[in-house]
Amino acid sequence: MTTAITMTTTTTTTIAPPALEVRGLTVTAQRDGHPVPITEDLDLTVAPGEAVAIVGESGSGKSVTAKALMRLLPMGLTVDGAVHLGGRDTTGFTERRMRRLRGTEISMVMQDPFTMLNPMETCGAQLAVTLTGPDGRRLSGARRREEVVRRLAEVGITDPAVADKYPFELSGGMRQRVGIAAAISRNPRVIIADEPTTALDVTTQKEILDLLNSLRTTHRIAVVLITHDLGVAFSLCDRVYVMYAGQIVETADASTLMDQPKHPYTASLLAADPPIDRRVEKLASIPGSVPPPGRRPAACRFAPRCEWAVDACRERPIELLQVGEDHAARCIRFAEIGDGLQALAMARRDQPHTGSLAVPAAPVITTRDARRVYGEKVAVAGATIEVRRGESVGIVGESGSGKTTLARMLVGLTLPSSGSVQVGGVELSSRLSRADRDRVRSTVQMAFQDPSSTLNPSRSVGSTLREALRLVSLEKLDERTAELLELVGLPPDYAKRMPAQLSGGERQRVAIARGLARDPDVLVCDEVVSALDVSVQAHILNLLRDLQTKLGIGYVFITHDLAVVRQITDRVYVMRRGEIVESGPTDQVLDEPRDDYTRSLLASVPSH
Amino acid sequence: MTATSVIPAVRRTRWGVGSLPPVTVTIALVILAGVIVMVLFPGIAPLDPDRIDAAAALQGPSAAHWLGTDELGRDVLSRVIAGARTAFLAPLGLATGIVALSLTIGLIAGYAGGWVDTFIGRIVDVLYAVPALLVAIVVVGVTGGGFVMAIVILTIFGLPSSTRLFRAAAMERVRLPYIEAARTVGTSPVRILFTQMLPTLRPLIVATLFLQFTYGLIEVSTLSFLGLGVPPGASDWGRMMFENRASISANAWATIAPGVLLVLLAVSTNVVGDWLYNRYEAKERQR
Amino acid sequence: MSFSSVKEPAPMSLAAAGPDALDHRRAVRWSEVRLIATVIAKRLLAGVVVLFIVTVLIFLFIHAAPGGPEVAIAGLDATPEQLAAIRELYRLDDPLPVQYWTYISSALTGDLGTSFMLREPVADAIGRALSGVTIPLIIITWTTALVFGVSLGYISARKRGQLLDRTIVGITVVGATAPMFATGLLISTVFGVQLRWFPFFGSGSGGLDTLYHLVLPALTMVIVMLASTTRISRVRFAQVLEEDQYAFAKARGVSPRAIFGRIIFRNSAVQLITWAGSVIVGLMTGLIIVEQIYSLPGIGSLLITAIGSRDIPMIQGITLVIAVAIVLVTIIVDVLCIIVDPRIRRGMEADA
């Protein structure tokens, strides 16, 4: 006779293991025979379905971290430390085992949607390559098609024809969606998004961030978002890790970090972000620059730039200290300076609004129905704008809006197909007299976006400036070069340096100096701060404002960033698809937009 | 703001760029120097390269003739040293001519754009497919033309590849901000080409010079080897191989020595040119 | 475009894959086929024009040779009567355009004239040279150089910076540059004369024996072509391996085989196809040298002897054949590139 024995088991509720756990991640490079740490001792935890941000500026090592997590580092870099996926320790996994994990457990989306996809294959084909049926084999034609269309729909692409299109036929936003669909096609636990929206317009950015957010619930995917944009980080993520010079300097949940930062770098970063809701008198910036790997101070990395640094900070390496519940910071003075930091972070919210600097004067540049077409494509469809002496005018728009083309027309780099552009009284055309051309050149000048190619790499800073100065007069070139450099806040001995020796911000200053060499009435700035780190951006914007007061110069400021527009312009034109849809004083346009497009632009900006 | 400044470029090994170890490049430079010495100081030849001595014909290496004599009794070693002249100067002239012309045409085409570019581009595309050496062989062979005609043909048909190179480089640079800035500031187009574009192209020009030298050397010596271009009896390495081939069993050195030197010179200039080109490319990619 | 919620999988997926979509795809493919056909037609037309120009040039050029063709045929010490007789025979007094027309019209029917030196139809001599020696040689060399060159280039690219790669690069630098006649002499002397491993003279007696005779000549040409193919492939493969698309494919777990075929190979295809065409054209020049060194009765030797004997019809015939070959190769390369690279295709559609 058997007695049934019932056993009561007490089930202990087990907490699901974190989707991703990283302990002591260190990436080292080999330079001239000795090891140089790129990132040091990173600890990270991401729960299933959670969204976590790694925020850092250039030189922080954040992108390297992304690749290190997937064990996809380029040759020459080694990685140490433990990476646990879903509770499983992957240290010591062979490449073969790692390959099985990629795509199924952990996946990645990259920054540039154009280079991420294969230009030779249709989107559908690229998506389908990782799809397998329940038996693990590749799917048949019809089934494959069904699956591809379904996956595209999951990321919001409802038109099945997209599957037959090639990446170059799609917009940036669509490509990024296809990329995301491909990355999640095998339902990984974690997706690493390495600056996924940096190359996209702000409206598209919002859509992609919303998409990533929804994937957390529909697919239970944890998201590790790597970005330099605090606003983006806060809009999507629950927790944030702030990186500086290869280390994590602070981590906390988003709202705590925003309101109570406990590390000077975090606070300064928060303060340097230009606010969109008001124009502040002076933007907070961080002096100095990020130390490159190999030249980082052994003790506190941020000390050389920190206003709260004391001797103790420079003595020993600083550990990550617990400063609150679920909040850690790498600062030994967090208790004393906590209030100061909070004040700094809040300052940008509390600073009063200052009015614009412009005094109405005579127009220097006027355009009437300026139009530019390239074959069938209309880049600018009849723009009528005015720029007056001493005022700063913004032209804001997304990609394809025609703002850059318009800017080029104002300077004479591009001639209008029809309509007129008048600069300093001279009507721009292809047949201008020498005197007229000279007048135009001395009236309006331009500074360009990309700091790495705005200066001729084979010529010294001084020679580039002299090249511009000699067109005004051949006398005292060296003196005037030194004056120009001083004007933009650079020491005169920079004239002997080559562009490669300057940082991005310094190069932009030289570019601005070059623009000022001919003493123009208006300087057209084409996205001059867009490629710079936030802290450097603040420097440049302050500089531009100072110059406006000091020299009485006017600006035409081309940008896609509405916060920057708020800070630096007095009037603004909003462009969309070649047309000016709204214009007016900056405060008015940004506070009470009249056009729907302007409204949607404002709504898409991730704010904090 | 990518991390490329943080991650060292894969190919930047300790030895500079590309995969050529410095040993190879050094050896190449040494060989090059040796040839240049022979060109500049033909007097180091022990005997008169053209002195005929029928009695001493086709002898193997000896104390008097380190590399033996050819079928007319001329000292092989002296002829080899004398031959360095044409071997070096002819391709040098060819390369200089090609680089100078293609640079001018390419820059103009790339900078001007528009119909100028299309026009030049079409011509270049058609000529590109034609093998220069083939045309040279046929034309020189049929007309019995001499050295000058060969050089002219090789120049004309050697232009397309370099022109494309310089045109592409110019087109890339035209759109760069610093060139546009120079235009905005008011610098004249000619001055822009000379002072802004040219300096950035210097490494490319030098690398192309070396590589065109290599091709030129191969072409000219092939023509000589086929009996074309160089007059009979000239102490030209290719010609020597052509003339002495029949008597290779008597004195192999008369054929081999010039051959070996040809190969060494060609490989050396190619190595140096390649090395320079890799350095140029790596710098471009770092931008 | 607005982002629709994805709470449920789109129920229209099946319908979307239905007949409408299918028709649309068929329409797209059909228009692509039409495009390619148009391109082929246009290129052929252009090729004909080029050939016309080339033949005119050759024709004029030969008739401009010093003394005129009749001196070339009869020699410098011919009597005026002999010269007149030759002019009569070959109708050299007809106006040039007429002579040209006669030549072209017979060429189109396969009659390329009669060789002065061989006293047989040019077309026959060319045909024999091609099928016996030249074409087998080209095929062997081309296939070997490409297959091994691309493979070595790939291996080199995968292991870039490492010892194997550096060794390969080092060796290929030498191989790619050494002039063919120098390597040819070296190889024929060492392997042929000294070691007696392979024959180094003539083309043997057909079939397997001919192949045996072609080993050394092929080896001579393969060295240069293989070395340069390796270098070109390595450069391109290495470029693709550094691109984001490669990292992305690895990141999402695409199988290595798919990565190679779809990403690495497809993105290098255009360069490789173009290069394969250049190899063929380069081989044509190389043939001349190699056939001289190894005394092979191929089209290269034929050309050299024809040049030496001033055999005008033969020279014209061979240059015509070479020109046609080059034009064909260029057209094939162009068309293949269009087929392979969708960007070129769609770009052309946009212009059309």
Side-chain angles (χ1 to χ4, degrees):
Chain A
M1 200 161 46
T2 49
T3 41
I5 304 170
T6 42
M7 310 231 325
T8 45
T9 44
T10 43
T11 44
T12 45
T13 44
T14 45
I15 312 167
L20 176 68
E21 188 168 352
V22 179
R23 296 268 157 257
L25 191 73
T26 309
V27 175
T28 322
Q30 288 286 335
R31 294 262 180 92
D32 300 327
H34 34 251
V36 169
I38 309 287
T39 62
E40 276 171 69
D41 226 16
L42 299 184
D43 288 344
L44 226 71
T45 312
V46 188
E50 193 184 10
V52 148
I54 301 182
V55 174
E57 297 183 303
S58 47
S60 57
K62 58 189 197 300
S63 293
V64 170
T65 307
K67 298 222 171 94
L69 290 173
M70 314 244 356
R71 291 254 221 105
L72 277 180
L73 289 170
M75 283 190 252
L77 293 176
T78 44
V79 57
D80 277 310
V83 175
H84 300 253
L85 282 173
R88 247 190 315 176
D89 188 355
T90 67
T91 344
F93 269 30
T94 58
E95 172 66 14
R96 204 144 187 218
R97 286 184 82 180
M98 271 314 292
R99 215 184 294 154
R100 276 204 289 260
L101 292 180
R102 293 193 198 116
T104 48
E105 297 272 326
I106 184 169
S107 189
M108 184 155 131
V109 170
M110 302 159 134
Q111 171 175 349
D112 188 346
F114 193 36
T115 55
M116 190 169 63
L117 298 174
N118 185 351
M120 300 284 168
E121 284 192 298
T122 58
C123 296
Q126 299 190 47
L127 258 182
V129 81
T130 45
L131 294 177
T132 49
D135 57 351
R137 312 202 35 239
R138 286 203 60 199
L139 302 172
S140 70
R143 272 287 288 151
R144 199 164 54 221
R145 177 97 186 150
E146 259 178 53
E147 276 299 306
V148 163
V149 173
R150 184 167 78 81
R151 305 310 174 102
L152 286 177
E154 277 174 11
V155 293
I157 298 180
T158 47
D159 179 11
V162 169
D164 296 314
K165 292 222 160 104
Y166 291 95
F168 62 89
E169 298 178 297
L170 302 174
S171 71
M174 296 278 270
R175 282 182 228 145
Q176 195 61 292
R177 286 175 197 268
V178 171
I180 293 175
I184 63 169
S185 64
R186 291 199 283 172
N187 286 312
R189 278 178 217 271
V190 184
I191 183 170
I192 314 221
D194 187 2
E195 306 257 24
T197 56
T198 309
L200 302 173
D201 285 332
V202 80
T203 43
T204 322
Q205 173 175 278
K206 178 156 196 309
E207 288 171 16
I208 298 293
L209 290 175
D210 287 342
L211 171 61
L212 286 173
N213 203 17
S214 72
L215 290 176
R216 293 168 55 188
T217 24
T218 56
H219 289 68
R220 289 283 286 169
I221 295 184
V223 177
V224 176
L225 179 70
I226 311 226
T227 178
H228 65 280
D229 189 330
L230 278 169
V232 165
F234 288 137
S235 68
L236 175 64
C237 302
D238 312 312
R239 267 187 313 120
V240 178
Y241 291 84
V242 179
M243 276 186 77
Y244 179 79
Q247 287 176 325
I248 294 185
V249 296
E250 185 161 1
T251 167
D253 62 78
S255 46
T256 316
L257 200 79
M258 236 195 301
D259 295 330
Q260 296 159 30
K262 291 281 189 250
H263 191 282
Y265 178 64
T266 317
S268 312
L269 211 56
L270 287 164
D273 208 14
I276 191 175
D277 54 352
R278 80 203 62 205
R279 185 184 171 118
V280 295
E281 173 137 6
K282 198 169 170 81
L283 289 163
S285 60
I286 312 179
S289 54
V290 183
R295 276 206 291 255
R296 297 167 173 159
C300 174
R301 305 254 169 106
F302 188 61
R305 306 170 75 188
C306 179
E307 60 178 280
W308 287 278
V310 294
D311 288 329
C313 303
R314 295 181 247 265
E315 276 162 23
R316 286 167 279 105
I318 319 281
E319 300 274 307
L320 203 57
L321 307 163
Q322 199 73 23
V323 302
E325 172 149 355
D326 225 10
H327 186 174
R330 205 178 282 264
C331 180
I332 51 180
R333 301 197 64 204
F334 70 87
E336 305 129 51
I337 58 177
D339 290 332
L341 295 177
Q342 194 166 12
L344 180 58
M346 293 297 195
R348 64 189 281 287
R349 268 179 269 175
D350 298 338
Q351 263 190 53
H353 178 72
T354 54
S356 74
L357 302 167
V359 179
V364 174
I365 306 178
T366 46
T367 75
R368 234 190 350 263
D369 262 327
R371 196 179 155 80
R372 177 73 200 177
V373 294
Y374 292 101
E376 289 291 313
K377 193 164 154 4
V378 178
V380 177
T384 301
I385 72 170
E386 213 175 59
V387 181
R388 302 184 201 115
R389 187 162 282 130
E391 79 168 339
S392 174
V393 171
I395 302 184
V396 93
E398 300 185 302
S399 57
S401 57
K403 59 190 194 298
T404 306
T405 315
L406 181 56
R408 293 167 64 95
M409 284 203 278
L410 297 178
V411 196
L413 276 176
T414 310
L415 288 173
S417 317
S418 68
S420 89
V421 177
Q422 260 198 26
V423 174
V426 175
E427 176 94 20
L428 291 185
S429 78
S430 50
R431 267 171 265 100
L432 284 182
S433 71
R434 193 92 182 274
D436 278 346
R437 241 182 302 149
D438 249 5
R439 175 137 175 80
V440 170
R441 304 268 182 249
S442 353
T443 310
V444 64
Q445 280 294 319
M446 189 153 165
F448 300 81
Q449 168 175 7
D450 183 9
S452 61
S453 55
T454 191
L455 299 176
N456 190 331
S458 43
R459 307 193 63 180
S460 68
V461 164
S463 103
T464 300
L465 291 177
R466 276 193 297 274
E467 188 71 31
L469 285 170
R470 55 178 283 286
L471 289 165
V472 181
S473 129
L474 287 169
E475 295 178 7
K476 297 206 209 142
L477 282 177
D478 286 335
E479 265 182 51
R480 289 154 62 206
T481 310
E483 270 173 28
L484 266 185
L485 284 171
E486 222 178 325
L487 200 57
V488 294
L490 292 172
D493 68 346
Y494 264 53
K496 289 200 264 316
R497 296 209 191 169
M498 302 297 286
Q501 299 168 284
L502 271 58
S503 71
E506 288 172 334
R507 281 185 230 152
Q508 281 300 40
R509 286 173 193 264
V510 175
I512 292 172
R514 173 179 55 198
L516 297 173
R518 294 196 68 162
D519 210 12
D521 295 327
V522 171
L523 183 65
V524 177
C525 299
D526 186 6
E527 303 259 28
V528 291
V529 292
S530 310
L532 300 173
D533 283 331
V534 159
S535 49
V536 181
Q537 175 179 282
H539 273 296
I540 302 290
L541 290 177
N542 286 337
L543 168 68
L544 287 172
R545 274 208 260 178
D546 283 343
L547 290 172
Q548 191 178 0
T549 335
K550 211 190 292 189
L551 303 173
I553 198 173
Y555 295 121
V556 176
F557 212 85
I558 318 285
T559 180
H560 62 278
D561 189 337
L562 290 172
V564 167
V565 164
R566 170 79 78 171
Q567 300 307 317
I568 195 135
T569 63
D570 307 313
R571 272 192 310 121
V572 70
Y573 294 91
V574 179
M575 284 187 77
R576 178 181 195 228
R577 302 236 184 99
E579 302 205 355
I580 299 180
V581 297
E582 184 160 358
S583 64
T586 307
D587 293 328
Q588 188 185 320
V589 171
L590 291 183
D591 290 333
E592 291 151 28
R594 269 182 295 218
D595 185 88
D596 284 337
Y597 177 65
T598 320
R599 265 193 277 260
S600 76
L601 268 187
L602 283 163
S604 309
V605 174
S607 55
H608 64 102
Chain B
M1 271 186 299
T2 59
T4 45
S5 54
V6 174
I7 304 176
V10 172
R11 272 162 59 168
R12 196 153 24 114
T13 66
R14 200 155 19 118
W15 296 300
V17 282
S19 297
L20 283 174
V23 178
T24 320
V25 181
T26 325
I27 295 180
L29 288 169
V30 166
I31 295 177
L32 216 52
V35 171
I36 294 181
V37 163
M38 285 196 270
V39 173
L40 293 174
F41 306 106
I44 60 174
L47 299 167
D48 177 3
D50 296 316
R51 192 168 147 269
I52 296 179
D53 179 5
L58 291 178
Q59 288 175 358
S62 63
H65 303 281
W66 288 8
L67 290 175
T69 56
D70 67 6
E71 60 185 9
L72 287 181
R74 296 176 290 202
D75 178 36
V76 171
L77 178 61
S78 308
R79 285 178 70 74
V80 166
I81 293 177
R85 214 148 239 212
T86 37
F88 190 77
L89 295 177
L92 186 64
L94 188 55
T96 320
I98 289 183
V99 168
L101 283 172
S102 60
L103 183 62
T104 319
I105 301 176
L107 278 186
I108 294 180
Y111 187 76
W115 64 267
V116 174
D117 181 37
T118 323
F119 178 66
I120 293 180
R122 290 273 164 77
I123 301 180
V124 164
D125 282 343
V126 169
L127 286 180
Y128 185 74
V130 179
L133 193 49
L134 203 53
V135 176
I137 292 175
V138 173
V139 173
V140 173
V142 170
T143 60
F147 192 62
V148 174
M149 177 180 286
I151 296 287
V152 167
I153 296 177
L154 290 175
T155 309
I156 295 179
F157 288 94
L159 284 175
S161 61
S162 302
T163 310
R164 274 197 186 177
L165 199 63
F166 290 126
R167 172 180 170 273
M171 278 174 51
E172 266 179 36
R173 280 160 176 70
V174 156
R175 285 173 299 153
L176 285 178
Y178 61 84
I179 298 288
E180 300 214 304
R183 282 172 61 197
T184 318
V185 156
T187 322
S188 71
V190 173
R191 202 182 154 88
I192 290 183
L193 279 178
F194 270 101
T195 59
Q196 297 285 337
M197 272 217 224
L198 218 49
T200 62
L201 290 175
R202 233 179 294 146
L204 183 61
I205 295 175
V206 175
T208 311
L209 209 70
F210 272 90
L211 291 173
Q212 284 293 347
F213 181 95
T214 314
Y215 304 147
L217 177 61
I218 297 178
E219 286 166 351
V220 171
S221 53
T222 306
L223 278 175
S224 315
F225 177 73
L226 291 172
L228 304 166
V230 186
S235 52
D236 170 88
W237 292 344
R239 185 83 200 178
M240 285 170 71
M241 292 177 78
F242 173 65
E243 289 173 352
N244 297 325
R245 209 182 130 209
S247 49
I248 196 170
S249 34
N251 182 10
W253 287 108
T255 320
I256 292 183
V260 166
L261 273 158
L262 265 171
V263 173
L264 284 179
L265 182 59
V267 173
S268 304
T269 42
N270 197 6
V271 164
V272 175
D274 236 27
W275 173 62
L276 290 173
Y277 186 72
N278 282 338
R279 276 181 36 168
Y280 160 77
E281 250 213 332
K283 252 195 270 177
E284 288 289 297
R285 279 190 315 149
Q286 268 177 25
R287 306 255 189 93
Chain C
M1 66 143 269
S2 65
F3 163 66
S4 57
S5 93
V6 287
K7 296 273 164 49
E8 307 119 46
M12 45 195 227
S13 56
L14 279 172
D20 279 340
L22 211 54
D23 280 340
H24 173 74
R25 271 184 297 153
R26 280 214 198 100
V28 168
R29 286 210 189 121
W30 181 235
S31 77
E32 289 197 336
V33 170
R34 272 208 317 268
L35 175 76
I36 293 176
T38 327
V39 169
I40 296 182
K42 272 201 243 178
R43 293 279 195 273
L44 279 173
L45 203 62
V48 167
V49 171
V50 168
L51 280 176
F52 172 70
I53 298 177
V54 167
T55 48
V56 166
L57 283 174
I58 298 175
F59 202 78
L60 285 176
F61 159 72
I62 289 193
H63 284 260
E70 61 267 27
V71 176
I73 298 167
L76 286 164
D77 40 74
T79 64
E81 296 86 32
Q82 287 173 317
L83 292 177
I86 292 176
R87 276 207 296 274
E88 178 86 35
L89 180 59
Y90 289 103
R91 310 183 60 154
L92 294 173
D93 283 328
D94 288 349
L96 279 178
V98 174
Q99 292 190 49
Y100 177 75
W101 175 247
T102 336
Y103 182 72
I104 287 295
S105 40
S106 27
L108 285 172
T109 57
D111 174 16
L112 291 168
T114 311
S115 159
F116 296 159
M117 61 180 182
L118 295 178
R119 308 254 187 267
E120 64 167 334
V122 166
D124 289 352
I126 293 182
R128 208 176 43 237
L130 280 178
S131 56
V133 171
T134 307
I135 293 198
L137 192 54
I138 290 188
I139 293 180
I140 297 173
T141 316
W142 187 76
T143 338
T144 317
L146 282 179
V147 167
F148 287 98
V150 169
S151 318
L152 265 182
Y154 181 65
I155 295 174
S156 215
R158 283 303 292 264
K159 307 228 176 279
R160 55 196 184 287
Q162 299 173 32
L163 183 60
L164 181 61
D165 173 40
R166 292 203 308 272
T167 321
I168 292 180
V169 170
I171 297 179
T172 53
V173 166
V174 180
T177 325
M180 247 187 241
F181 63 90
T183 45
L185 273 179
L186 186 69
I187 289 180
S188 70
T189 315
V190 171
F191 292 105
V193 176
Q194 307 288 20
L195 292 175
R196 311 202 83 95
W197 284 358
F198 292 98
F200 55 93
F201 189 90
S203 64
S205 36
L208 224 50
D209 190 41
T210 304
L211 273 161
Y212 193 45
H213 276 79
L214 290 181
V215 168
L216 289 186
L219 182 62
T220 310
M221 294 207 284
V222 159
I223 288 181
V224 171
M225 293 307 172
L226 194 149
S228 40
T229 307
T230 308
R231 281 148 66 77
I232 297 268
S233 339
R234 180 200 178 283
V235 167
R236 182 59 191 157
F237 287 144
Q239 271 175 357
V240 178
L241 287 172
E242 305 259 333
E243 285 177 7
D244 269 355
Q245 51 168 321
Y246 174 69
F248 183 53
K250 277 182 84 167
R252 50 192 182 103
V254 178
S255 73
R257 205 160 48 138
I259 291 185
F260 176 75
R262 291 161 177 252
I263 304 230
I264 301 179
F265 197 72
R266 276 226 208 146
N267 279 280
S268 314
V270 168
Q271 281 82 349
L272 292 179
I273 292 175
T274 315
W275 175 249
S278 314
V279 170
I280 297 187
V281 176
L283 284 177
M284 290 184 203
T285 319
L287 275 177
I288 298 184
I289 304 161
V290 160
E291 287 179 5
Q292 282 289 95
I293 295 181
Y294 293 93
S295 308
L296 294 168
I299 209 166
S301 312
L302 207 53
L303 182 61
I304 296 285
T305 15
I307 289 177
S309 341
R310 313 307 225 97
D311 185 352
I312 310 248
M314 187 64 85
I315 299 177
Q316 274 179 323
I318 296 183
T319 37
L320 183 63
V321 167
I322 293 181
V324 168
I326 295 182
V327 167
L328 277 177
V329 166
T330 318
I331 294 181
I332 294 178
V333 163
D334 265 350
V335 169
L336 281 178
C337 283
I338 293 180
I339 294 180
V340 163
D341 191 338
R343 293 173 290 193
I344 306 181
R345 270 211 305 278
R346 297 284 162 103
M348 293 179 124
E349 275 173 6
D351 291 336

